[in-house]
């Protein structure tokens, strides 16, 4: 029988486990992370083992102070300072040249390191109490739906963790935006919790290279490992621009931003379950519900999940990216 992992808000316990080289699930504003001491290669190796994650997929290092940034990253340009001033702590990850202090396993042998300062009081306090930066991928099995509650983590990884630090449901709900900065050149590696519009407000238009994230094409530049991120439910998921009434007899769930007014009456008969992510069509609310809604649908033993795409502005870019990957087979 698998061991039942403890869930709680005991920071001392969590920091002790980190310092013993163990794994602790920590809440962040985006999704729960599977955290280990980023400077301890043995502890970092446990992350890959627990997630069943390929070792060529580098990890994000979480910090709570700018001193730690200097410890792990170098050649930080002025433009990056501007972004950090504006968006840290928050859902923005920046990729910098790494220092010797960062073990190769963290960066999969790359000479760059991805860094962010999470906007969650428990995450920041854990990093301070443990007195080390924390390497943390999302706390799900590789390729599966990201966790936005402590219970999601316990369900999937409960038998592989020392402790789950419970900080409640994640308020952003989708992962951080990842930007690489090379010689003052910025490119978007993953759309996420900070929108392109927000970044452009700070940097001016045209400063960031933005590949087309509306396709699942494998040609555009992405963060290494991103191609393999599928956020996949076990139930097949299909995206439909225009909802076509499904065959009777099949058990079908619907995942949609907002139900059209007129459809409120007949929809419930057509679908076994409906997950409307925001009754007012608000993308921020939708993002915070997205992964939990996919999990609920996946738990219903449906034949199929139908999903409608999000508008392609603001957080819609990140939501469509996750949705396309969840549908990718
Ligand atoms: O919001 C988040 O970013 C969450 C929370 C826990 O902080 N973390 C997260 O980690 O989403 P993960 O491991 O699921 O995704 C991190 C992605 C990797 O797939 C990889 O593509 C990219 O970050 N990455 C990490 N290091 C990189 C590097 N040196 N260069 C380019 N991309 C990198
Ligand atoms: Mg992930």
């Amino acid at each position: 029988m698998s061991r039942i992992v403890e869930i709680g808000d005991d920071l001392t316990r969590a920091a002790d486990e980190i310092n013993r080289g163990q794994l602790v699930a920590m809440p962040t504003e985006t999704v729960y992370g599977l955290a280990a001491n980023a400077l301890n290669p043995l502890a970092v190796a446990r992350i890959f083992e627990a997630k069943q994650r390929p070792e060529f997929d580098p990890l994000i290092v979480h910090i709570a102070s700018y001193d730690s940034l200097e410890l792990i990253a170098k050649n930080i340009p002025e433009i990056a300072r501007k972004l950090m001033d504006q968006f840290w702590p928050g859902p923005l990850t920046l990729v910098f040249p790494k220092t010797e202090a960062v073990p190769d396993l963290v960066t999969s042998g790359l000479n760059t390191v991805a860094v962010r300062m999470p906007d969650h009081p428990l995450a920041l306090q854990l990093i301070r109490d443990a007195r080390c930066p924390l390497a943390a991928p999302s706390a799900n099995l590789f390729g599966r739906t990201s966790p936005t509650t402590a219970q999601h983590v316990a369900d999937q990884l409960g038998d592989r963790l020392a402790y789950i630090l419970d900080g409640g449901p994640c308020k952003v709900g989708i992962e951080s935006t990842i930007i690489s900065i090379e010689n003052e050149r910025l490119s978007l590696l993953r759309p996420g919790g900070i929108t392109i519009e927000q970044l452009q407000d700070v940097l001016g238009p045209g400063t960031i290279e933005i590949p087309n994230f509306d396709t699942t094409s494998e040609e555009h530049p992405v963060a290494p490992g991103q191609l393999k991120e599928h956020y996949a439910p076990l139930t097949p998921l299909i995206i439909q621009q225009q909802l076509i009434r499904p065959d009777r007899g099949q058990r079908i769930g619907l995942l949609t931003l907002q139900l059209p007014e007129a459809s409120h009456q007949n929809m419930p008969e057509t679908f076994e379950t409906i997950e409307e992510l925001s009754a007012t069509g608000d993308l921020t609310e939708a993002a915070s519900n997205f992964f939990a809604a996919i999990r609920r649908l996946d738990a219903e033993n449906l034949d199929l999940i139908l999903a409608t795409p999000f508008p392609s502005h603001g957080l819609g870019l990140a939501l469509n990216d996750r949705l396309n990957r969840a549908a990718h087979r």
Side-chain angles (χ1 to χ4, degrees):
M1 246 193 44
S2 65
R3 186 170 53 84
I4 306 295
V5 67
E6 245 184 276
I7 305 180
D9 58 5
D10 186 346
L11 275 161
T12 311
R13 163 86 188 276
D16 283 352
E17 297 290 2
I18 292 288
N19 286 320
R20 272 200 285 272
Q22 298 300 317
L23 302 181
V24 170
M26 72 168 171
T28 82
E29 79 283 29
T30 58
V31 301
Y32 273 73
L34 182 59
N37 179 351
L39 307 180
N40 175 349
L42 218 64
V44 173
R46 292 203 171 99
I47 294 179
F48 288 94
E49 199 185 342
K51 272 199 77 141
Q52 296 164 5
R53 174 168 170 137
E55 284 170 21
F56 47 80
D57 194 1
L59 304 173
I60 295 173
V61 179
H62 298 68
I63 57 172
S65 75
Y66 286 93
D67 291 346
S68 317
L69 179 65
E70 307 302 329
L71 174 69
I72 60 177
K74 59 187 183 190
N75 308 341
I76 296 162
E78 208 39 51
I79 195 161
R81 304 265 174 207
K82 232 167 141 178
L83 290 177
M84 294 186 281
D85 280 351
Q86 191 71 29
F87 298 112
W88 279 11
L92 179 68
T93 296
L94 299 173
V95 178
F96 297 117
K98 82 174 195 75
T99 65
E100 292 292 313
V102 185
D104 283 336
L105 193 50
V106 172
T107 64
S108 304
L110 295 173
N111 53 14
T112 54
V113 62
V115 192
R116 85 178 190 97
M117 193 183 286
D119 186 17
H120 194 293
L122 288 187
L124 292 171
Q125 199 55 48
L126 176 61
I127 298 165
R128 288 190 199 108
D129 290 356
R131 296 168 164 275
C132 59
L134 297 178
S138 49
N140 51 276
L141 287 172
F142 182 70
R144 302 278 295 280
T145 310
S146 304
T148 52
T149 67
Q151 193 57 50
H152 292 163
V153 181
D155 291 346
Q156 226 174 65
L157 295 173
D159 57 346
R160 299 153 200 219
L161 293 177
Y163 190 64
I164 299 178
L165 193 56
D166 189 352
C170 302
K171 66 175 197 275
V172 174
I174 45 173
E175 296 86 346
S176 61
T177 301
I178 307 180
I179 302 274
S180 80
I181 306 176
E182 254 175 286
N183 312 320
E184 309 270 321
R185 244 190 64 218
L186 277 66
S187 28
L188 178 66
L189 299 184
R190 176 176 76 181
I194 296 291
T195 65
I196 299 301
E197 291 88 337
Q198 283 175 292
L199 293 166
Q200 283 172 343
D201 275 351
V202 174
L203 301 172
T207 3
I208 306 178
E209 237 170 87
I210 304 165
N212 177 17
F213 283 97
D214 270 355
T215 74
T216 45
S217 145
E218 309 224 332
E219 282 158 28
H220 56 71
V222 285
Q226 266 298 103
L227 287 178
K228 284 154 206 80
E229 282 273 22
H230 287 341
Y231 305 94
L234 298 176
T235 315
L237 184 150
I238 291 177
I239 304 168
Q240 281 191 341
Q241 288 288 345
Q242 288 289 269
L243 276 183
I244 298 165
R245 225 189 147 82
D247 287 346
R248 307 228 170 263
Q250 269 194 308
R251 301 182 73 249
I252 301 178
L254 174 66
L255 177 71
T256 191
L257 172 60
Q258 185 185 21
L259 290 170
E261 270 303 316
S263 63
H264 273 272
Q265 276 91 29
N266 58 14
M267 277 292 191
E269 292 160 27
T270 314
F271 295 100
E272 203 69 31
T273 319
I274 295 178
E275 289 285 353
E276 183 183 40
L277 296 175
S278 167
T280 58
D282 178 53
L283 289 169
T284 305
E285 185 185 12
S288 71
N289 290 327
F290 180 72
F291 284 127
I294 289 190
R295 275 172 192 265
R296 282 193 297 271
L297 287 166
D298 207 18
E300 294 230 10
N301 253 314
L302 299 164
D303 297 310
L304 181 67
I305 300 170
L306 282 185
T308 58
F310 296 89
S312 52
H313 59 81
L315 288 174
L317 188 66
L319 284 164
N320 281 331
D321 172 70
R322 307 303 187 271
L323 191 60
N324 282 327
R325 290 171 193 283
H328 189 96
R329 284 269 180 270

